[in-house]
């Protein structure tokens, strides 16, 4: 059950990260990191790890985008 919750959070996270890739909307990646942390927590508590891994990967993309824009842009 928690894996399903983690995957659903991951879908929302994917949408936020994709919008955050647009120039001047990079600040959305800070929100993506918070959403991703909730998904990682739910995924860590489940038996299956698909949701956990997908949320970690999306958080890495958001962190990469933040580092490219200096944390703001």
């Amino acid at each position: 059950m928690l894996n399903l919750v983690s995957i659903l959070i991951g879908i929302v996270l994917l949408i936020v990260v994709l919008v955050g890739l647009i120039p001047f909307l990079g600040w959305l990646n800070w929100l993506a990191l918070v959403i991703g942390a909730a998904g990682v927590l739910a995924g860590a508590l489940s038996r299956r790890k698909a949701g956990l891994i997908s949320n970690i990967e999306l958080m890495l993309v958001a962190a990469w985008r933040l580092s490219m824009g200096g944390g703001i842009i």
Side-chain angles (χ1 to χ4, degrees):
M1 181 67 182
L2 284 175
N3 191 40
L4 180 63
V5 171
S6 180
I7 290 173
L8 291 175
I9 291 172
I11 292 170
V12 172
L13 179 62
L14 175 66
I15 293 168
V16 172
V17 168
L18 287 177
V19 173
L21 290 175
I22 298 172
F24 300 109
L25 292 177
W27 54 270
L28 279 173
N29 289 308
W30 287 108
L31 177 64
L33 291 176
V34 173
I35 294 171
V40 166
L41 180 65
L45 295 175
S46 70
R47 287 188 179 170
R48 295 184 150 196
K49 300 302 176 193
L52 172 70
I53 293 170
S54 65
N55 282 313
I56 289 174
E57 289 173 349
L58 287 169
M59 285 179 68
L60 288 174
V61 170
W64 173 77
R65 173 62 176 91
L66 277 172
S67 70
M68 295 298 287
I72 300 171
I73 298 177

